[in-house]
């Protein structure tokens, strides 16, 4: 999965012959899973039609502050557009546009959006070789880089003028991989390995019955996806759950019982940097599993239970162990129980959720958590989607491991 998946991208197209390649770039960005909004300078309209780019991006293309013929006063809000973007790409970027980006000469919608955007801006210059070499263009490159923009170097080769040299806009495929690599190398969990337990465990009683719980695996899957998107290689060990967690950085192992989860965790734990235990593991299992379905005979049935291994506590007791994050699902005296659990299981962080909070716990798409650190400092979060909760948890981890 591309790091651009799910990102909002503003593509600025300026007036150069390479503008025809911007349609291929739009296609590649959309294919990578990004939402794309295109803004053109008036000069770009001479080279490629807004209809082409609107069709490919599946979004209206803007080039004016108010749309032509509009008498309603509706205007294209450059601030809103600028803030919508997770990143902005200007491809092709002409010498003219770049020089205005340097001086702040805002005479079109694209430049207004550029000045309003708070996201990273990638610039793919395209021009003739002498324009490229010209001191004013070189000055623009220097200045734009010093403002924090990222220049995607132009290529060498045949130019529209018939001359040959540096100035060809990087090919759309090169622009895409340049940006993907640049984002990937900055991901905060790049190079880290993360183990996550998730879901319930089922402890068989006989061939058709089991002891289980209501965990859906949603919280753990959200953590796995978020960690993968932050660049980590994730091992997800998950009990019986239909929840999907698909990303090229996630390797999933399905287990059923607490003992199987324990075995899988210990297969991997010495190779990971961070371990997050969000699974709801059965504390007990039947001492013996009947070979055949237990028949209804007496008015009561007694099943002898034995303790399961405590996976989190066992990892917490290791001499060399990863950064350890436990969960606690409580029903009363939440903080008191959570403090005790964090200490007993030797957690670096503990994520507390309570069944008493609406929108928290088993099966829901939301959760409400309090994160506790080793010094018993607590951070209380609002009710949010499990994906956003996962973000908060991973941000706290990243802060602690810095
Ligand atoms: O899966 P969802 O439907 O999205 O729900 C998410 C959740 C409610 C399951 C999750 O947010 C959560 O709270 N997980 C922990 C639930 C739990 O059983 O907590 P506990 O207090 O019993 O266990 C404390 C910690 O020890 C947990 O990190 C647990 O994974 C771990 N543990 C417990 C017992 C055991 N034998 N081995 C363990 O590793």
């Amino acid at each position: 999965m591309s790091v651009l998946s799910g990102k909002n991208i503003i593509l600025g197209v300026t007036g150069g012959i390479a503008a025809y390649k911007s349609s291929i770039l739009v296609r590649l960005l959309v294919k990578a899973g990004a939402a794309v909004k295109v803004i053109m300078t008036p000069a770009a309209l001479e080279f490629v039609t807004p209809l082409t780019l609107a069709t490919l991006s599946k979004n209206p293309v803007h080039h004016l502050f108010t749309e032509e013929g509009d008498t309603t006063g509706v205007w294209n809000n450059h601030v809103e557009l600028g803030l919508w973007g997770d990143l902005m790409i200007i491809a092709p970027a002409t010498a003219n546009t770049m020089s205005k980006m340097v001086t702040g000469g805002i005479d079109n919608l694209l430049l207004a959006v550029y000045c309003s955007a708070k996201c990273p801006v990638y610039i793919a210059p395209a021009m003739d070789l002498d324009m490229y070499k010209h001191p004013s263009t070189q000055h623009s490159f220097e200045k734009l880089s010093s403002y924090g923009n990222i220049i995607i170097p132009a290529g060498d080769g045949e130019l529209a003028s018939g001359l040959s040299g540096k100035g060809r806009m990087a090919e759309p495929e090169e622009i895409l991989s340049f940006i993907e690599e640049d984002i990937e190398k900055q991901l905060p969990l790049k190079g880290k390995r993360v183990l996550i337990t998730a879901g319930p465990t089922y402890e068989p009683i006989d061939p058709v019955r089991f002891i289980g719980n209501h965990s859906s695996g949603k919280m753990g899957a959200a953590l796995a996806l978020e960690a993968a998107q932050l660049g980590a290689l994730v091992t997800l060990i998950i009990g019986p759950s239909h929840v999907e967690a698909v990303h090229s950085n996630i390797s999933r192992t399905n287990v059923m019982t607490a003992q199987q989860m324990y075995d899988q965790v210990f297969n991997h734990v010495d190779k990971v940097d961070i371990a997050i235990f969000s699974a709801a593991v059965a504390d007990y299992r039947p001492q013996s599993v009947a070979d055949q379905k237990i028949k209804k005979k007496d008015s009561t049935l007694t099943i002898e239970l034995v303790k399961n291994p405590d996976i989190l506590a066992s990892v917490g007791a290791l001499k060399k162990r990863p950064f350890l994050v436990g969960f606690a699902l409580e029903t009363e005296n939440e903080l008191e129980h959570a403090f005790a659990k964090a200490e007993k299981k030797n957690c670096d962080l503990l994520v507390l959720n309570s069944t008493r909070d609406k929108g928290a716990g088993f099966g829901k798409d939301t959760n409400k958590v309090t994160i506790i650190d080793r010094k018993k400092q607590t951070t209380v979060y609002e009710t949010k989607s499990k994906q956003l909760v996962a973000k908060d948890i991973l941000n706290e981890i990243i802060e602690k491991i810095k």
Side-chain angles (χ1 to χ4, degrees), residues 378-394:
T378 58
T379 313
V380 182
Y381 291 88
E382 294 304 312
T383 305
K384 308 179 176 182
S385 70
K386 282 188 171 157
Q387 208 54 52
L388 289 178
V389 171
K391 249 187 219 304
D392 290 335
I393 295 169
L394 284 154

Side-chain angles (χ1 to χ4, degrees), residues 197-201 213-221 223 241 243 258 261-262 265 276-284 307-314 325-330 341 345 347 350-355 360-367 369 386:
T197 69
T201 62
N213 61 65
H214 299 293
S215 171
S216 61
K218 286 180 186 172
M219 190 64 249
L223 282 161
S241 161
V243 169
M261 189 173 272
Y262 177 95
V265 166
I276 308 173
F277 289 80
S278 69
V281 185
D283 289 322
Y284 292 89
K307 238 184 181 168
N308 269 328
D310 190 315
I311 312 169
L312 172 58
S314 310
V325 183
F327 267 70
L329 179 64
E330 302 297 340
K341 241 172 226 179
K345 304 198 185 198
C347 298
L350 188 116
V351 182
L352 163 66
N353 42 189
S354 169
T355 53
F362 285 139
K364 310 221 169 71
D365 291 327
T366 55
N367 207 355
V369 302
K386 282 188 171 157

